[in-house]
Amino acid sequence: MDIVDHHGLSVAHVSPEELAGRPWYGARRHIDVVRATAPAAGAYEELAAAGFVRKPAFLSWTAELGPDEDAFLSRLETKARQDIRRARARAERALRLEVHDPVGPEALDRFLTLYRQRVDAMAYGIPIAFRQRERLLDGREKYFAVLALQDGELAGGCIAWECPGQDAVRIRFSTVTEDWRRDSLARTLYFAAMRTAREKGYRWATLGDEPNLYGHLTKAGLFRFKVRMGFRCVPSQDFHDPDGLDEADLVLNLDRLRDPCLILGYASDAPGDRSLRARLVSDTPADLRAYAAPFLAGVEHTPPAGTPARAAAS
């Protein structure tokens, strides 16, 4: 068993041979999550018996753009449509939206300044976009930016990557000020980027790939936000990710995870079944309805495996 620090989270990587002995319960070091990477089909039953959730390591959030924005909005629930329209109305009263196509150094640096400020304020923020400045500007790939300005100051923005081979535009990075986060500016920015993608003739929009462990680098609330935006998630390897793979996680405690922690595991071990089921890991009862989604096979709640009752039962 190899224990590593993963952006503040203590993760113990175990091999199939170690599962029976469950060495994580006797470890002298603190462990938050136990993980089996790329488990073989022969280990599925034993993993499930030990409480592991088998899952895609990363999730891709996708949406088919459709012929126009009205058609896209018509798929959403009434409240979701109302939330989007309210957010856009607030933005239209106070902001000016600019599309920079392609993104240039001046627009990108304005974005990155705010982006870095917001990432630095996060507990486990990783400034990925800041590290990729040269790639975003070197011209080998196509990127455009949507910026929202208030009296000349940047209120928020997003960077989108055109992927003709996937017939998709990937909204890779976004950031908004704290004030405009509360006013849901992200919804307005995403829809502006999707409008540009539709005008360019793309079929799909994606909100990027995320680690399948909400409650660490991302909060469980982000899942609900993206569902209400009309997106659905699939295993990343099912949407143009040749490096995508499966893993199995066992959450021992929530000491360094936000409560609730959300994992989307495979609904069954049946060959060819790629459907997902949500697992909410929480120390207290959770509202499962808040995490229901049309593309999920269901939602269930479980306490962390390291609680005394659960550990004793193991």
Side-chain angles (χ1 to χ4, degrees), residues 83-123:
D83 289 343
I84 291 167
R85 286 171 175 150
R86 277 195 294 266
R88 292 172 66 175
R90 286 192 292 266
E92 288 169 0
R93 287 194 297 268
L95 303 176
R96 183 179 81 253
L97 290 185
E98 297 179 349
V99 177
H100 295 259
D101 183 16
V103 62
E106 182 178 353
L108 179 59
D109 287 340
R110 294 192 75 175
F111 172 87
L112 289 176
T113 298
L114 177 59
Y115 172 87
R116 186 59 183 262
Q117 293 171 359
R118 301 297 292 156
V119 170
D120 286 347
M122 300 175 182

Side-chain angles (χ1 to χ4, degrees), residues 9 19 74 86 166 229 289:
L9 196 70
L19 288 174
S74 69
R86 277 195 294 266
Q166 302 171 13
M229 281 283 295
R289 295 170 301 176

Side-chain angles (χ1 to χ4, degrees), residues 2-76:
D2 185 22
I3 304 174
V4 301
D5 182 278
H6 180 64
H7 303 297
L9 196 70
S10 179
V11 180
H13 293 268
V14 296
S15 65
E17 296 76 19
E18 294 174 301
L19 288 174
R22 304 189 185 183
W24 50 91
Y25 284 125
R28 295 185 178 181
R29 289 177 57 188
H30 177 88
I31 299 173
D32 299 301
V33 175
V34 186
R35 176 167 295 163
T37 302
Y44 291 175
E45 186 174 344
E46 190 171 8
L47 285 166
F52 284 77
V53 179
R54 190 175 65 87
K55 63 190 181 73
F58 283 84
L59 300 166
S60 291
W61 284 90
T62 68
E64 194 164 6
L65 289 166
D68 54 49
E69 196 166 276
D70 287 341
F72 187 94
L73 288 169
S74 69
R75 307 178 210 159
L76 309 185

Side-chain angles (χ1 to χ4, degrees), residues 182-193:
R182 289 191 291 266
D183 281 333
S184 299
L185 177 57
R187 288 183 168 92
T188 300
L189 293 169
Y190 291 167
F191 268 84

